[in-house]
Amino acid sequence: MTNPAAFRDPSNWSDGYYELAIQVGSTDDAPLQAVLSALWSAADVHGCFGHSNREPEEQDPVPCTVGSLAEFGHLHGRVRLPTGRMVVCGCVAIRSGDESSDWLDFYIPVGALDHAGIAYWDGRPFFRSNELDGWLAAIGADTYKSASFSLGVIGFEVSGCADASTLAGKLPQTRDIGYLLPQGDILHYGAANT
């Protein structure tokens, strides 16, 4: 049986990503760093590494910083799923480079979720797991307590599929992804409902 926590197994990193994508609300490094640090802690990620093709014991850890994201493109670690299984995970920043907002995506590759035995197919044409949605929403809520952000979205490859300014503080009635939307000082979770 394949170990879903093995970095060197390329099949763990395959088939796309199940994400908590956070619209930071700024293009400055400091807010991005605050969200990155809070998220890594909230998810209880084990380790922080620059390479996905070497096991953690085969490489030196790197600082969990915006600088490391810039240097390596992605940061990698391991995280324990709600089922208790340890899996590979990663994080990437999508820097806007203009006046809009950066995104920070925390992801679990679908290949690792398959190897961990996470059931998700229920006739939908895309990956969805209510168990993972709730877990990622809790991580997002814990992150928000330490580092506010404009929007969080949860689902299969969801980064950039919504925008805080377009939502204008209102959760969509029909949702094919999960939303973490601040309204005042309160973060509201709208679970996927289609």
Side-chain angles (χ1 to χ4, degrees):
M1 183 173 180
T2 301
N3 176 2
F7 276 37
R8 277 190 176 270
D9 185 343
S11 67
N12 278 336
W13 301 101
S14 66
D15 299 329
Y17 303 120
Y18 209 69
E19 301 175 330
L20 164 59
I22 294 174
Q23 186 180 10
V24 176
S26 171
T27 58
D28 295 332
D29 285 355
L32 181 61
Q33 180 62 60
V35 171
L36 173 61
S37 296
L39 187 146
W40 214 255
S41 176
D44 193 23
V45 178
H46 296 249
C48 184
F49 303 96
H51 303 284
S52 64
N53 60 352
R54 301 181 207 158
E55 294 300 331
E57 55 275 7
E58 299 171 349
Q59 59 182 307
D60 292 328
V62 300
C64 187
T65 62
V66 172
S68 292
L69 277 172
E71 180 178 350
F72 296 102
H74 293 246
L75 297 178
H76 306 94
R78 291 178 174 143
V79 69
R80 190 168 305 281
L81 296 176
T83 61
R85 292 295 304 267
M86 190 70 80
V87 296
V88 297
C89 65
C91 194
V92 63
I94 295 103
R95 306 298 302 259
S96 70
D98 58 21
E99 296 301 313
S100 59
S101 176
D102 293 337
W103 285 81
L104 185 70
D105 294 358
F106 173 71
Y107 60 83
I108 312 296
V110 172
L113 293 172
D114 281 338
H115 295 149
I118 300 296
Y120 59 84
W121 181 256
D122 61 0
R124 291 184 181 103
F126 49 86
F127 186 109
R128 171 153 335 126
S129 166
N130 291 333
E131 184 174 30
L132 290 181
D133 285 359
W135 175 66
L136 290 170
I139 290 170
D142 283 349
T143 300
Y144 188 77
K145 289 175 189 174
S146 299
S148 63
F149 52 79
S150 297
L151 175 67
V153 288
I154 298 167
F156 180 73
E157 299 195 356
V158 292
S159 179
C161 71
D163 181 84
S165 62
T166 303
L167 293 173
K170 295 182 181 167
L171 289 169
Q173 292 295 317
T174 303
R175 300 179 295 273
D176 57 2
I177 62 173
Y179 290 84
L180 291 168
L181 184 63
Q183 295 170 333
D185 291 336
I186 299 171
L187 185 67
H188 294 274
Y189 175 48
N193 61 10
T194 61

